[in-house]
């Protein structure tokens, strides 16, 4: 039967479900314990009252101690924290892959592939703008399949073409080979599309309740990404139907057809139209036809996503959604810490930093 | 007549009781094992992150032992 399924899938054999035992109980219990070590929300106001040195010391005493100690000989100050946060994120997510087996490992791996795409995009963008290797490495998070060593080698390549040539064995090469020096944003969009296509193929036709929730989790993410892109497009008065290729297919509550209808609208009309979507209740208080900044809105959307993933994880604590909730929580903690550190470094007021945080 | 005699030997009341008692202990033992396997691995996972959870993990792991104890009680009642 398995052989038949594999034959039917043909080229997609790489995405076929792994055989063998899935250790959901072990992984979820361990992830629960890891989740209890995430910073509680009361910590952030305290961090806002601290100076950069104090924050560095505070972060160095937390889960990030090993990373800060390891990198202290190479970097200092804000850069040290930035690198330590990225390293910790990579180590944590690699650990998730190491402790999981079978299907749970497969699903985590598929989700974390967005880091591979993120890293490829970062390196290509860096090379495109002639950024230094150091600057590129600052934004690298080696949480996917590519190791930090491989990514540092890629960052050290002189041109984007050399980077692409080094990735000739990867599954992304079919998209990357179309890079002609100008089409970077198009390549980036295609990589994102491929990520979600692969993820949906990995999820397959969800039958069990937890798999349905996982699918909902991914599709909510797509909705919120599409919403953010739409807001930005509208703000810059881009209403061309060609912009539809920036939209990701597979959203939960915002289908492509609805987005297509919204595309020609002006910003004011778009905001009015949003009132008919299910997300309006959550974003209505920070959404108006004459809004200037999207900071509040984006923080609200991220909060909404975290909230939905927490409720999913409570529904099925022994499933993949609980692990996804931890991944989101960890990403959010690292983002918040980075925002506080960077905000303090450039002299932003506490109020401004607080508005950016997703707590 | 020979068949009736064989059947009487095969379905002897004491023998059937013994089989019933064996099944009661054996099946509940298997059920306990399956339950403890999951709880045990989860407890090990939690302990790997936080050693202080050893006591709680141990207690939770042995809770399914009650199933086999019920099986044992039933077996004793049968025999």
């Amino acid at each position: 039967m398995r052989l038949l399924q594999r034959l039917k899938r043909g080229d997609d054999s790489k995405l076929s479900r792994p055989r063998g035992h899935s250790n959901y109980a072990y992984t979820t219990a361990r992830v629960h314990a890891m989740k209890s070590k995430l910073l509680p929300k009361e910590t952030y106001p305290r961090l806002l009252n601290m100076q950069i040195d104090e924050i560095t010391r505070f972060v160095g005493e937390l889960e990030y101690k090993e990373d800060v100690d390891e990198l202290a000989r190479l970097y200092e100050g804000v850069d040290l924290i930035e690198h330590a946060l990225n390293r910790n994120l990579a180590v944590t997510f690699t650990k998730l892959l190491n402790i999981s087996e079978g299907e749970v490992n497969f699903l985590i791996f598929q989700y974390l592939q967005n880091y591979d795409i993120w890293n490829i995009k970062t390196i290509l963008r860096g090379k495109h703008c002639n950024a230094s290797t150091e600057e590129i490495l600052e934004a690298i998070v080696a949480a996917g399949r590519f190791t930090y060593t491989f990514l540092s080698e890629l960052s050290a390549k002189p041109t984007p073409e050399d980077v692409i040539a080094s990735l000739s064995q990867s599954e992304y090469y079919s998209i990357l080979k179309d890079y002609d020096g100008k089409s970077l944003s198009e390549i980036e969009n295609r990589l994102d599309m491929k990520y979600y296509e692969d993820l949906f193929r990995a999820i397959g036709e969800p039958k069990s309740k937890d798999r349905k929730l996982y699918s909902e989790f991914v599709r909510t993410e797509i909705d919120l990404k599409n919403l953010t892109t739409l807001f930005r497009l509208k703000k810059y008065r881009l209403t061309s139907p060609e912009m539809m290729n920036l939209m990701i297919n597979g959203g939960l509550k915002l289908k492509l057809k609805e987005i297509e209808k919204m595309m020609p609208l002006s910003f004011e009309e778009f905001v009015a139209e949003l009132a008919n979507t299910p997300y309006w209740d959550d974003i209505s208080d920070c959404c108006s036809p004459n809004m200037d900044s999207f900071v509040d809105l984006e923080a609200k959307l991220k909060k909404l996503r975290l909230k939905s993933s927490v409720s999913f994880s409570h529904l099925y604590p022994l499933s993949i959604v609980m692990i996804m909730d931890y991944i989101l929580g960890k990403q959010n903690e690292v983002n918040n810490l980075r925002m506080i550190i960077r905000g303090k470094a450039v002299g932003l007021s506490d109020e401004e930093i607080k508005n950016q945080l997703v707590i | 007549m020979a068949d009736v005699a064989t059947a009487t030997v095969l379905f002897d009341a004491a023998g059937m009781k013994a089989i019933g008692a064996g099944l009661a202990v054996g099946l509940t033992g298997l059920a306990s094992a399956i339950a403890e396997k999951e709880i045990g691995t989860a407890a090990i996972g939690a302990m790997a992150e936080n050693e202080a959870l050893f006591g709680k993990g141990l207690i939770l792991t042995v809770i399914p032992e009650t199933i086999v104890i019920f099986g044992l009680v039933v077996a004793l009642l049968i025999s």
Side-chain angles (χ1 to χ4, degrees), chain A residues 166-232:
Chain A
S166 307
L167 289 166
S168 59
Q169 298 299 317
S170 80
E171 59 192 285
Y172 308 110
Y173 186 68
S174 56
I175 296 173
L176 294 173
K177 69 178 168 29
D178 295 336
Y179 176 74
D180 59 2
K182 289 174 193 162
S183 54
L184 189 61
S185 58
E186 194 196 315
I187 298 279
E188 288 180 351
N189 288 337
R190 282 174 60 194
L191 283 173
D192 284 339
M193 302 284 179
K194 180 180 163 44
Y195 166 67
Y196 284 108
E197 276 167 22
D198 286 353
L199 198 53
F200 279 124
R201 214 175 304 156
I203 297 170
E205 190 63 43
K207 289 192 181 78
S208 60
K209 187 77 184 161
D210 69 317
R211 195 55 64 74
K212 279 182 187 156
L213 282 177
Y214 181 56
S215 168
E216 268 182 43
F217 171 86
V218 175
R219 291 168 67 196
T220 313
E221 178 177 305
I222 294 178
D223 268 353
L224 301 184
K225 274 196 173 174
N226 281 344
L227 256 184
T228 316
T229 319
L230 263 176
F231 265 100
R232 287 186 189 160

Side-chain angles (χ1 to χ4, degrees), chain A residues 133-174:
Chain A
T133 309
E134 268 309 297
E135 282 170 328
I136 297 174
L137 284 179
E138 230 172 69
I140 293 282
V141 183
R145 192 185 331 169
F146 299 142
T147 60
Y148 187 78
T149 323
F150 176 68
L151 292 167
S152 345
E153 279 169 20
L154 281 186
S155 322
K157 301 270 177 208
T159 62
E161 285 77 13
D162 292 323
V163 175
I164 291 170
S166 307
L167 289 166
S168 59
Q169 298 299 317
S170 80
E171 59 192 285
Y172 308 110
Y173 186 68
S174 56

Side-chain angles (χ1 to χ4, degrees), chain A residues 66-101:
Chain A
E66 205 177 296
D67 310 283
V68 172
D69 291 348
E70 183 86 14
L71 297 166
R73 61 195 167 85
L74 297 171
Y75 308 99
E76 56 179 356
V78 182
D79 285 342
L80 171 63
I81 297 294
E82 181 95 40
H83 278 91
L85 292 176
N86 282 346
R87 185 180 185 272
N88 186 272
L89 205 58
V91 168
T92 310
F93 291 162
T94 315
K95 179 175 159 187
L96 285 184
L97 288 172
N98 290 338
I99 62 173
S100 54
E101 284 172 9

Side-chain angles (χ1 to χ4, degrees), chain A residues 291-314:
Chain A
M291 61 199 284
D292 291 325
S293 156
F294 293 147
V295 172
D296 286 350
L297 177 82
E298 284 180 16
K300 201 101 192 180
L301 288 176
K302 280 180 195 162
K303 229 177 254 180
L304 179 66
R305 181 155 160 61
L306 279 171
K307 231 162 85 181
S308 71
S309 80
V310 168
S311 62
F312 284 174
S313 77
H314 287 161

